[in-house]
Every structure is written in structure tokens, then in C-alpha cells.
Amino acid sequence: MSKFDPYTHLNISHDPATDTLTRPATTPTTPTNTDPTPGDPVVFKDVTLNPETRTWARIFRPTKLPSNDNTVARLPIIIYFHHGGWILLSAADAAAHTNCSQITSEVPVIIVSVNYRLAPESRLPAQHHDALDAIHWVRAQAQDPKGENWIRDYADVSRCYLYGCGCGGNIVFFSGLKAYQLQLEPLKISGIIMNQPMFGGLQRTNSELRFATDQLLPLPVLDLMWDMALPKSTDRNHRYCNPMADEVHRDLIKRLGRCLVIGFGGDPMIDRQQEFVTMLVACGVRVDARFDDLGFHNVDFVDSRRAAAVLNIVKEFII
């Protein structure tokens, strides 16, 4: 009998009576900065998305805006969804914040980083709904003369990308399926970027077994995250976890636009991600799949060389 405790690994505790988590209070975060000092490449601020669900977003823009003939050129916009396995972190998390700052300054783009609801307090599909709320919010700001000025004045919403890391990659896939069915003009989803997207299933894959004792995401931790996130009385073959096992939604998948999928060979979920790409291609989706044999899950958050490589891939996809 294994003595490994995923709750201890994640430094969380669960109250079954209320289905709530007590989370670590020491996760590094970054406060807002709307008044840059010389040399700051980006400015950022927090805004409310939906008061009822208490969702908010951190908006990033470059301090130096490109111009054409002395007129500020509008930038593509990315709606971004952080990692955290459904149950941890926020849009203010230091790693997600740094990632958004780098993308904003290097591509350059406007980013709306969504602080979606966490599980188990809000189980799937709440996070997918929060993503659609964010898409509608961005569209509304672009059309409202009194809307959020960083979007209204600087963003080109006809070049809108959905970008998700880890569970955020899952979020942008499912919210993208819905978004492509909606009339969102003038907003247009120009592509979906899934960086090490989080998928699962009941049948273990070779990579899950090979990396069962992974330091970051051992199998019991992955299982716990899905147990916390999926609707109650479902299992890991539910379509939110395992879209590859769901034949019903294949017609919707065929409607997706361009997709970029990034993965690393040491990620326990790498086999899922490659199976996911195979499914997209079989459905006729235009997919740019970038898999590196080396590296582990979230390696681009801790390895500057890999972070630069991912940034270049994203830049190529957007430009």
C-alpha cells in the first residue's frame, strides 16, 4: 500500500462536508503596476469580469506601443488562462504573471489573463463558462465608447487568440469549441494555443506509468486534481477530461480554427497530448504541434532557454 499523500504533496486540505480546499497562503504573487518606471516593458492592471461569479482579469500592455504614421497600431489580443491543475494559483501568480509579461512585450500583444473560479468550490464546466464570460467581456469593451481603454484603444479584437497552460489549455479547447459557434463580430478567434494541455482518462497511458512518481505531477496528484475538478458522479473518461473518448463532439471539433499544441517528453500527460493532436488532425483541424523530447511539465516556467523557445513558437503562430 502506497503511503504517498497527494494532499501533503500539494500542501492542501479538503473539507468533504463543504467541498472546499484550504490552500497554501505562501504562493508568490505580483501586485498591479499601472505607473511604470523607466525601463519597465509592460504595465498591467486588474479589472472585474463578472461580479456575480467574482471573476477578474489582469490586463497587460506594452509600455512602448508600435505606431504607423504617428498613429498607434492596434495589437493582437490574447485571452490567457493560467496553470494550476484546476485547484491552485491565480492570474496574480508570479509564474503566470511573468509569462504574460514576456509575451506582452516580446510579441507584442495585449493580454487579458483570466482569474477563473477554482475547483472543487466551482467544478467543471464553471471554468469553461468563465472563459466564455471573458470572451464576451473583451468583445463588449471593444464596442463600448466607455469600455476598458486598453482594449478599446489598443487591441485588434479581430486578431484574438486563446492561450492556456496546463488546465488552461483544456479551458481554451472547450471554450474555443463554443466560441466558434457564436456570433462574436467584431471579435474573431484567430487561433488557440495549448501549452502542455491537461487531459486524462481511466486507462493509463505509457507516459503516465513511466512518470508515475514524477516530482511535480505524480499520478496520485493528477488523479486528485481530476477528482476535485470533474462534476460529481463522473470519472476521468468524461469528455472534459478525455475528449479523445467522446465521439459525439467530433463535428464541433471540425469547426475549430488554427491550433498550436506544445508539449515536453518528460510530462506524464505527453501521450494524452499527442493523442489529442492526432484527434484534431483526424477532424481536419489545422494543427501546429511542437513536441520536445526533453523537458518536463511546466519546464518553460523554470528554464529560461525553454521559455525563450516557447515564446518564439508562440510569436511565430501569432505573427
Side-chain angles (χ1 to χ4, degrees):
M1 177 73 71
S2 172
K3 294 182 179 180
F4 180 85
D5 183 358
Y7 293 95
T8 301
H9 181 86
L10 295 170
N11 193 23
I12 60 174
S13 59
H14 180 234
D15 181 354
T18 59
D19 202 20
T20 58
L21 285 184
T22 300
R23 297 172 174 86
T26 56
T27 304
T29 59
T30 304
T32 57
N33 172 29
T34 56
D35 187 18
T37 57
D40 286 348
V42 300
V43 285
F44 46 92
K45 60 183 173 181
D46 296 344
V47 298
T48 299
L49 291 181
N50 187 331
E52 293 183 4
T53 56
R54 299 182 180 179
T55 54
W56 54 273
R58 176 162 291 186
I59 309 179
F60 297 77
R61 73 163 176 84
T63 51
K64 295 182 179 179
L65 294 162
S67 62
N68 293 322
D69 299 326
N70 296 319
T71 300
V72 173
R74 290 186 177 270
L75 298 172
I77 185 167
I78 289 175
I79 306 178
Y80 180 97
F81 299 85
H82 66 80
H83 63 299
W86 306 109
I87 62 176
L88 297 170
L89 307 181
S90 75
D93 172 70
H97 177 92
T98 298
N99 194 29
C100 287
S101 294
Q102 291 173 338
I103 296 169
T104 298
S105 63
E106 294 293 329
V107 173
V109 293
I110 303 294
I111 287 186
V112 176
S113 179
V114 179
N115 197 70
Y116 53 84
R117 288 171 287 176
L118 297 181
E121 293 86 352
S122 299
R123 290 176 176 265
L124 286 164
Q127 294 76 14
H128 301 160
H129 293 163
D130 292 345
L132 288 169
D133 278 352
I135 293 169
H136 284 295
W137 183 86
V138 167
R139 176 178 180 267
Q141 305 315 303
Q143 294 183 299
D144 185 351
K146 297 182 179 180
E148 167 51 52
N149 66 306
W150 288 7
I151 295 175
R152 183 195 65 212
D153 298 339
Y154 305 130
D156 179 358
V157 295
S158 71
R159 292 186 291 161
C160 180
Y161 295 82
L162 306 181
Y163 187 144
C165 297
C167 63
N170 179 298
I171 292 171
V172 298
F173 170 66
F174 281 101
S175 59
L177 285 179
K178 184 65 175 178
Y180 275 105
Q181 300 177 64
L182 302 175
Q183 297 298 320
L184 295 171
E185 290 79 7
L187 185 146
K188 179 183 178 183
I189 305 296
S190 296
I192 300 175
I193 302 167
M194 291 164 276
N195 186 351
Q196 305 158 74
M198 186 172 180
F199 299 113
L202 286 177
Q203 183 69 36
R204 300 299 191 193
T205 65
N206 288 335
S207 63
E208 287 171 344
L209 295 174
R210 189 163 63 250
F211 302 114
T213 58
D214 181 73
Q215 290 186 348
L216 178 65
L217 284 178
L219 269 184
V221 168
L222 276 173
D223 290 350
L224 175 63
M225 289 173 166
W226 284 118
D227 288 345
M228 293 287 172
L230 288 169
K232 290 186 175 181
S233 302
T234 63
D235 60 33
R236 293 193 308 277
N237 274 346
H238 189 283
R239 67 181 183 277
Y240 296 153
C241 179
N242 189 4
M244 291 74 76
D246 179 36
E247 298 286 343
V248 176
H249 287 76
R250 295 296 170 96
D251 285 341
L252 292 179
I253 293 172
K254 292 176 182 178
R255 304 180 190 180
L256 286 178
R258 296 169 60 230
C259 289
L260 170 62
V261 182
I262 300 168
F264 294 94
D267 187 340
M269 295 180 288
I270 186 68
D271 287 353
R272 302 276 182 199
Q273 294 156 7
Q274 292 177 337
E275 183 185 355
F276 173 71
V277 166
T278 299
M279 177 193 70
L280 293 180
V281 171
C283 289
V285 178
R286 290 176 293 161
V287 185
D288 186 356
R290 301 293 188 96
F291 291 109
D292 189 331
D293 290 340
L294 302 178
F296 47 87
H297 190 74
N298 286 347
V299 64
D300 51 321
F301 286 105
V302 296
D303 182 322
S304 59
R305 186 173 64 86
R306 289 272 166 47
V310 169
L311 182 59
N312 285 333
I313 291 170
V314 171
K315 190 172 183 177
E316 290 173 9
F317 184 77
I318 290 176
I319 294 176

